[in-house]
Amino acid sequence: SQKIEQNSEALNIQEGKTATLTCNYTNYSPAYLQWYRQDPGRGPVFLLLIRENEKEKRKERLKVTFDTTLKQSLFHITASQPADSATYLCALPGAGSYQLTFGKGTKLSVIP
Amino acid sequence: EAQVTQNPRYLITVTGKKLTVTCSQNMNHEYMSWYRQDPGLGLRQIYYSMNVEVTDKGDVPEGYKVSRKEKRNFPLILESPSPNQTSLYFCASSSSRDEKAFFGQGTRLTVV
């Protein structure tokens, strides 16, 4: 089955800087990859989906890249704000099944 | 308002006492799934359903049952709960596995 690694459990950055989170996967290359935000005690909220034929996708201050050669997706938040503090999860579909598998997430803290 | 509704939000029960956590969505989604979230282990898929009467196991199905008799409902059944099923549970729905998922508010289950 697909193994997903998100670069670190926790990431602290200064307000106004760009946060970069990493999602690496092994085995097969998925047709797409999703990113979610999760606040403590709440359900994940969808942010972005990027497909294998898309190198980059943007939404306001968010940018996602997808490198199928490196088997990696990068998630960027520019001009970060304390309100961006949350856990960010990446998710990939299973191969030959209808599963959707999530990484363990990276907890981002934006320090004022 | 588009939403996924889980009930109950909190539940404390005793070992062996059968329980059902309900999940309902109002978006006419075909794909629904259940996840459990544990510290250090992230979100793990328990079961998923591609449509009415079509369900399949996720990564951690042992000790759980599901049914999909109607499109909008996808209950999670614990026939004989055990303490290792103490967890935070999320139901999710999407128009297909490959589209963004909407998550419920979560059910915090404690089995003593």
Side-chain angles (χ1 to χ4, degrees):
Chain A
S1 63
Q2 187 73 282
K3 186 179 177 186
I4 304 170
E5 288 183 0
Q6 294 194 239
N7 58 328
S8 57
E9 284 189 19
L11 180 65
N12 298 326
I13 63 163
Q14 208 69 35
E15 182 177 3
K17 301 290 188 186
T18 296
T20 298
L21 285 65
T22 305
C23 178
N24 294 298
Y25 56 92
T26 58
N27 303 334
Y28 65 92
S29 277
Y32 64 87
L33 192 147
Q34 300 180 0
W35 283 90
Y36 290 79
R37 169 186 172 136
Q38 185 175 25
D39 292 290
R42 308 195 70 168
V45 174
F46 173 82
L47 295 174
L48 283 165
L49 182 152
I50 185 165
R51 301 191 186 279
E52 60 182 339
N53 60 348
E54 297 174 314
K55 288 275 195 295
E56 180 180 298
K57 202 147 189 187
R58 292 175 185 261
K59 178 183 175 183
E60 298 172 353
R61 294 184 296 110
L62 309 180
K63 184 178 88 171
V64 173
T65 62
F66 194 5
D67 189 327
T68 55
T69 303
L70 293 178
K71 296 190 174 181
Q72 180 181 83
S73 174
L74 298 179
F75 177 81
H76 307 273
I77 306 175
T78 58
S80 59
Q81 305 165 0
D84 295 326
S85 298
T87 295
Y88 292 86
L89 309 166
C90 65
L92 289 78
S97 77
Y98 283 87
Q99 279 189 255
L100 186 66
T101 301
F102 282 79
K104 293 180 182 179
T106 297
K107 184 177 180 180
L108 174 68
S109 297
V110 181
I111 302 158
Chain B
E1 182 191 350
Q3 58 185 2
V4 177
T5 304
Q6 293 178 229
N7 280 297
R9 292 290 312 277
Y10 302 91
L11 179 60
I12 301 174
T13 190
V14 296
T15 299
K17 185 177 181 183
K18 181 179 178 180
L19 67 91
T20 299
V21 184
T22 64
C23 174
S24 180
Q25 50 96 1
N26 64 358
M27 295 166 278
N28 200 36
H29 283 165
E30 292 192 347
Y31 188 85
M32 296 186 74
S33 55
W34 276 102
Y35 295 86
R36 62 177 288 174
Q37 189 169 38
D38 303 287
L41 296 177
L43 266 174
R44 293 180 292 166
Q45 197 172 38
I46 304 171
Y47 269 95
Y48 58 93
S49 169
M50 292 78 80
N51 213 327
V52 175
E53 302 290 6
V54 184
T55 63
D56 206 349
K57 297 176 181 178
D59 292 316
V60 288
E62 294 78 20
Y64 304 94
K65 282 176 57 177
V66 292
S67 69
R68 188 92 182 271
K69 293 185 169 52
E70 306 164 283
K71 202 169 189 179
R72 62 183 294 124
N73 296 323
F74 190 44
L76 179 70
I77 302 156
L78 285 72
E79 295 268 5
S80 183
S82 62
N84 65 10
Q85 292 178 297
T86 292
S87 187
L88 179 58
Y89 290 86
F90 289 102
C91 178
S93 77
S94 54
S95 55
S96 74
R97 181 203 62 174
D98 300 339
E99 297 301 325
K100 65 180 181 182
F102 293 80
F103 281 78
Q105 326 93 296
T107 295
R108 191 167 291 280
L109 172 67
T110 302
V111 184
V112 298

